[in-house]
Amino acid sequence: MTAVVEENTVLEFKGRMLMMTVLQLKNLDANLLHQEVSQRLEDAAQWLQEAPVVIDVSQDLDVDPVALMAAVDTLRSLGVNLVALARTTGIDNDTAAMLGLGTLSLSGGRDVPRRSEPAPQAEAEKVPTATQRIETLVVDQPVRSGQQVYSRGDLIVLAPVSTGAELMAEGNIHVYSKLRGRALAGVRGDGSARIFCQQLNAELVSIAGHYRVAEDLPEAHRNRAVYLSLEGDAMQFTALS
């Protein structure tokens, strides 16, 4: 259905996929947070320093409102771009509003990059297997900076992917050329998804939410043909002969 926009309207709703980073807090100690987050941001690529961040408080923590407020203040003082709290049994809309944040539900397969263990999924939201994927999107034009391509199945790109471009797929990603942008496979939690490329020089690669940024890519596989897969929580890089 095509939205009809009145000629004199003052606003327009547009659908767009935005990538956000989940920061899972396993400790609310403000001093420890300041020390570790400062180091992480110092080592991070520029895009990660500017990325919208959702705070996910570990389910193992008893949420003390005062400690949570101190943690949020600490993160803001470091320039972390906080946009929301993940809803849990101990965090609701009122808690988020008190901190000047929105709330997001991360249940049922978290579709934002993170390094933590994927959350278990409800029966009705099981991850699609390879045999259930019914859509494959083929792109034969270069994917340029600022462009985003999303596939509900596998994604095949036959041209270069520029820095600042983003590929997202619920299944596998194949790039038969240079990969300089971001590639996120298995974005609905499919840990069996893989990323294949002819020349790896990406800003970020992610499978089912587990990711590596450019600085973490193995030197032995930079600018080479490689495929990426997950073994448990660890991302594996294998040369393509």
Side-chain angles (χ1 to χ4, degrees):
M1 178 182 296
T2 302
V4 178
V5 180
E6 295 292 341
E7 186 173 338
N8 296 322
T9 187
V10 296
L11 57 85
E12 178 182 356
F13 286 101
K14 290 186 176 182
R16 179 166 179 173
M17 299 276 310
L18 295 175
M19 187 179 72
M20 288 185 283
T21 296
V22 170
L23 175 60
Q24 186 175 55
L25 299 184
K26 300 179 180 179
N27 191 315
L28 295 179
D29 185 286
N31 292 327
L32 292 177
L33 280 177
H34 191 283
Q35 180 180 349
E36 184 164 348
V37 174
S38 296
Q39 184 61 48
R40 295 291 185 94
L41 290 178
E42 183 178 336
D43 297 338
Q46 185 64 31
W47 75 265
L48 185 56
Q49 294 174 344
E50 299 173 352
V53 172
V54 177
I55 296 176
D56 181 15
V57 180
S58 174
Q59 296 279 5
D60 297 330
L61 290 180
D62 290 328
V63 181
D64 174 22
V66 175
L68 180 58
M69 182 178 297
V72 168
D73 287 343
T74 297
L75 294 172
R76 282 178 169 149
S77 72
L78 293 170
V80 179
N81 184 17
L82 302 180
V83 295
L85 285 174
R87 283 194 294 270
T88 66
T89 54
I91 293 177
D92 55 18
N93 292 341
D94 291 338
T95 304
M98 177 185 69
L99 298 171
L101 296 170
T103 59
L104 286 176
S105 175
L106 298 183
S107 62
R110 304 181 178 200
D111 55 0
V112 287
R114 66 194 188 290
R115 292 187 187 272
S116 57
E117 178 70 18
Q121 293 182 302
E123 184 69 22
E125 298 177 306
K126 287 184 177 179
V127 172
T129 64
T131 56
Q132 292 173 319
R133 297 182 195 133
I134 58 174
E135 297 185 24
T136 297
L137 177 63
V138 179
V139 177
D140 58 7
Q141 300 293 324
V143 185
R144 306 193 184 281
S145 179
Q147 292 183 312
Q148 183 185 73
V149 181
Y150 186 94
S151 174
R152 294 184 61 190
D154 290 351
L155 174 59
I156 299 174
V157 181
L158 305 177
V161 179
S162 299
T163 301
E166 186 171 270
L167 308 178
M168 301 179 70
E170 296 180 19
N172 303 309
I173 293 177
H174 303 255
V175 180
Y176 294 102
S177 188
K178 299 177 182 179
L179 173 57
R180 292 196 179 99
R182 301 188 287 271
L184 296 85
V187 295
R188 291 186 59 83
D190 186 355
S192 69
R194 297 187 178 190
I195 298 173
F196 303 81
C197 67
Q198 288 296 318
Q199 187 172 334
L200 177 66
N201 195 14
E203 295 175 290
L204 175 144
V205 287
S206 170
I207 299 176
H210 300 271
Y211 69 93
R212 293 278 193 98
V213 294
E215 292 80 0
D216 295 335
L217 298 180
E219 288 295 334
H221 295 292
R222 289 182 186 272
N223 297 308
R224 297 182 182 275
V226 63
Y227 78 84
L228 285 61
S229 59
L230 279 183
E231 288 189 13
D233 293 342
M235 189 173 293
Q236 303 295 317
F237 296 75
T238 304
L240 288 169
S241 56

